[in-house]
Amino acid sequence: MTAAPPSDGPYDTTSLRAAAVSRLLRRRDAGDLTHHNLRMVAEAFSVHWRTVHRWMDNAAAHNGTYTPQGRRHFTLTPAMHDALARWHGNATAAYRELVADGLLGSPPRPSMATFHRAVNRELSPGQRAALSGGETARRRYDVHRLRPPGNRNEVWETDHVEASVFVNVDGKRSKPWITWFIDHSTCVICGLAITPHRPSQEAILAAARDAILCGDHHRPFGGLPKKVRVDRGRDFLSRSVDEAFKKFNTELIVLPPYSPHLKGTVESLNAAVKNMLFKGLPGYSHAPRSRRDRRGRALWNLDELLDYETFVTLVLNWVDWWNNEHTIARLNRRTPAQAWHADLTPIDTLTPDDLHTYTLKHTSTPLKITSKGVRWNGAYYVGDWMHGHGSAGETVRLSHEPHHYHRVELYDADTLRHRGPAFRSDEMSPRESRRLHTARRREADRYAAKASRARENASIRYAATSTAAPPQRLNRLSATQAAAELRELQTRETDLSSETRPDLLHRPKPSSSRWTSPLPAPTNKDAP
């Protein structure tokens, strides 16, 4: 291992030497060059004055430009680059192939060590990573400039992040997801939404509502942003999300694919919550191998995991710590809250009453108020304000949050004036919900087992071999067994009586003469 050079040099002074030699040549052409001038330049570069004279001879031989020859190095040929590409950057394997093909002579020149040095010298770390891991690996070596800080609420960034923690959700191990909005200028987390499953546009709209509102439980940060940067996730590109932001003249900037550096603020937040919070919680999914069994699954029991409500509380507390206590170097070692309050940019705020139609999906068909309420999606919805309006024939239009069917918002069908909320009246009980969920899971497991058996029977297995030989099938049947299985499969395909609708079954013939048969259709002769 070579020692590091001292901090004061020696450094590459080729450009300075070229400038000094050029000045000496001009003085020599003018007849003003003295031996004292050569000694001064030699002392400045810590060389002998004869060395300076050789620099001048080199420049005279290259049309007045000092051109040092430098040390000769071995360079890679196109055939060597092709071998490196075939072996995905494995220099040792590429060298062996070149030797076996006789492209390096006999004995081979250069040596393997020289070949490795040439590869490291001519290919950058990013190029070597691209050969071994593709474009994704190469992008890790790219350099990106920092964005200008701007002002608060000028640009927000949003993203989904999966928690690296298993949580007990109704007796089932699950990883929650977090959707949040962060201000690029001040790094303030303006709003978030947490779901126990993979998020959808509902989580985006709920997080946007929490980020826009200020005060109460929504934190003192928020307002209406001018721009929001999103990736190309299907949820962020939905029509509901696009319309929700366009209502307040907020531009939705859709970033190109494979460019997380263009929303580096929220990506840094995703990494921070994993390292600062999730690693210290029970149920951490990336636990050391001592906490894993032979199949790689974490050995966390349900009683060791956090319940969902506790997990949400811990995340909200961490967000408050991030905003009010955590200092960031980019903010001159200030907290996001300090940077937010130091920015005097006006904030466009809204009240919850102004947002009663925000993040809602609207239905186009008018609905009628009856004595049972408003019927929609196979259920009745009622509200306190409906008393005195039942069976009057009034029509309303309905709006609801995506995937939220327990509460809806109703508006006058003609004026679209907000009438009030309504709640589903025939909500099933928790016991019925558990029974329905269990039945659905049992049905899904039954068909999953059928599909698994079908895949096992359809797959072809071959014998293991240690010599070069054609593959030998293992699950071969006799002719009798194959014919029997084929007849069974054909019988299953033709006999669909257990899967068909009851009204399409073959009905038996009447067994009694007392049954009345339908009359034949009248003909033209029978017509009056």
Side-chain angles (χ1 to χ4, degrees):
M1 182 176 180
T2 59
S7 59
D8 56 348
Y11 294 99
D12 186 10
T13 58
T14 303
S15 59
L16 289 177
R17 282 183 284 170
V21 169
S22 177
R23 179 171 174 77
L24 291 175
L25 290 177
R26 288 195 299 270
R27 299 195 68 168
R28 187 178 67 176
D29 295 339
D32 192 23
L33 181 64
T34 64
H35 186 70
H36 180 67
N37 300 132
L38 294 178
R39 286 185 176 276
M40 283 195 302
V41 173
E43 183 180 356
F45 288 98
S46 301
V47 296
H48 197 270
W49 66 268
R50 290 190 179 90
T51 303
V52 178
H53 200 278
R54 286 194 295 270
W55 292 351
M56 295 176 63
D57 295 340
N58 176 279
H62 293 86
N63 299 323
T65 303
Y66 173 65
T67 309
Q69 298 299 320
R71 184 179 177 181
R72 298 182 62 183
H73 296 286
F74 168 74
T75 58
L76 302 177
T77 63
M80 297 176 183
H81 282 282
D82 294 341
L84 283 172
R86 284 194 298 271
W87 285 98
H88 303 285
N90 190 334
T92 301
Y95 181 83
R96 290 172 179 169
E97 179 184 301
L98 294 171
V99 172
D101 294 342
L103 299 179
L104 301 182
S106 181
R109 292 290 185 274
S111 65
M112 183 179 291
T114 303
F115 183 77
H116 273 270
R117 285 194 296 269
V119 171
N120 294 333
R121 183 173 55 252
E122 297 186 23
L123 299 179
S124 66
Q127 292 172 335
R128 296 196 298 269
L131 289 175
S132 60
E135 178 64 18
T136 304
R138 186 202 64 79
R139 282 196 296 269
R140 291 198 294 266
Y141 293 86
D142 288 343
V143 178
H144 312 286
R145 68 178 181 89
L146 293 176
R147 292 182 182 271
N151 301 319
R152 62 182 180 183
N153 284 347
E154 183 176 354
V155 178
W156 286 1
E157 296 179 4
T158 180
D159 196 11
H160 299 307
V161 60
E162 183 185 27
S164 307
V165 176
F166 287 105
V167 176
N168 186 351
V169 181
D170 289 339
K172 183 178 179 181
R173 185 184 292 107
S174 179
K175 287 184 182 180
W177 284 73
I178 305 175
T179 304
W180 41 26
F181 288 83
I182 183 172
D183 180 63
H184 167 70
S185 175
T186 62
C187 298
V188 162
I189 302 176
C190 299
L192 74 156
I194 306 175
T195 54
H197 48 72
R198 183 175 291 275
S200 61
Q201 57 181 351
E202 167 209 359
I204 301 174
L205 298 178
R209 185 186 185 98
D210 182 53
I212 292 175
L213 295 176
C214 301
D216 197 15
H217 67 283
H218 297 287
R219 299 171 207 87
F221 319 107
L224 294 174
K226 295 181 180 179
K227 300 177 182 179
V228 177
R229 297 193 192 107
V230 300
D231 56 19
R232 305 188 71 86
R234 184 171 57 183
D235 301 333
F236 293 104
L237 300 180
S238 64
R239 181 178 178 182
S240 300
V241 174
D242 184 58
E243 291 179 352
F245 284 106
K246 284 182 178 178
K247 290 176 181 177
F248 301 112
N249 198 24
T250 298
E251 181 182 359
L252 205 63
I253 302 177
V254 181
L255 301 176
Y258 308 109
S259 56
H261 61 279
L262 296 180
K263 53 181 182 68
T265 306
V266 72
E267 293 292 345
S268 300
L269 178 63
N270 294 341
V273 71
K274 292 180 180 180
N275 293 320
M276 297 181 178
L277 177 65
F278 296 155
K279 281 188 175 181
L281 297 181
Y284 181 59
S285 59
H286 301 296
R289 297 186 63 86
S290 59
R291 292 286 300 173
R292 296 177 178 271
D293 62 2
R294 291 181 299 176
R295 296 185 179 181
R297 294 176 299 189
L299 297 177
W300 297 102
N301 298 324
L302 282 176
D303 55 355
E304 298 177 315
L305 302 180
L306 298 172
D307 59 272
Y308 180 70
E309 184 177 357
T310 303
F311 172 80
V312 173
T313 303
L314 292 176
V315 172
L316 295 179
N317 292 338
W318 184 87
V319 169
D320 292 337
W321 171 84
W322 171 278
N323 287 338
N324 300 290
E325 301 180 24
H326 175 60
T327 60
I328 300 177
R330 181 167 71 87
L331 303 177
N332 299 322
R333 290 299 175 187
R334 295 179 299 173
T335 65
Q338 291 173 343
W340 176 276
H341 295 303
D343 193 341
L344 301 181
T345 304
I347 300 176
D348 295 333
T349 59
L350 294 173
T351 62
D353 294 337
D354 297 333
L355 283 178
H356 65 82
T357 60
Y358 191 59
T359 70
L360 299 180
K361 296 183 66 175
H362 305 278
T363 58
S364 57
T365 305
L367 305 175
K368 183 178 295 187
I369 301 179
T370 65
S371 59
K372 298 181 181 179
V374 175
R375 182 171 178 81
W376 175 75
N377 200 23
Y380 283 99
Y381 291 83
V382 296
D384 296 339
W385 59 271
M386 290 184 182
H387 294 297
H389 299 274
S391 301
E394 298 184 28
T395 56
V396 293
R397 296 185 184 271
L398 182 143
S399 299
H400 67 97
E401 292 189 23
H403 307 290
H404 281 232
Y405 303 113
H406 63 284
R407 169 177 172 160
V408 297
E409 302 289 338
L410 298 178
Y411 303 83
D412 188 270
D414 299 326
T415 63
L416 297 183
R417 181 176 57 86
H418 185 231
R419 302 292 298 274
F423 300 88
R424 186 157 51 185
S425 60
D426 54 348
E427 189 79 31
M428 59 182 171
S429 63
R431 180 180 180 182
E432 293 173 339
S433 176
R434 289 192 298 268
R435 290 179 58 187
L436 178 60
H437 177 73
T438 303
R440 288 176 176 174
R441 291 297 307 170
R442 187 183 300 114
E443 187 73 5
D445 294 341
R446 184 168 66 91
Y447 280 99
K450 286 185 177 181
S452 177
R453 287 195 299 269
R455 285 193 299 267
E456 292 178 359
N457 295 334
S459 62
I460 302 176
R461 300 185 64 85
Y462 296 93
T465 179
S466 58
T467 59
Q472 301 293 328
R473 294 181 56 174
L474 288 179
N475 52 349
R476 290 181 293 181
L477 303 177
S478 63
T480 305
Q481 292 173 334
E485 185 171 347
L486 182 60
R487 286 194 300 270
E488 182 180 357
L489 293 176
Q490 291 175 347
T491 303
R492 292 179 183 176
E493 293 178 357
T494 56
D495 187 13
L496 301 179
S497 60
S498 61
E499 303 291 339
T500 51
R501 290 164 41 191
D503 55 340
L504 298 181
L505 295 176
H506 296 290
R507 300 186 181 277
K509 295 182 179 180
S511 59
S512 174
S513 58
R514 294 179 298 174
W515 286 20
T516 304
S517 301
L519 297 176
T523 59
N524 294 333
K525 296 180 180 180
D526 300 334

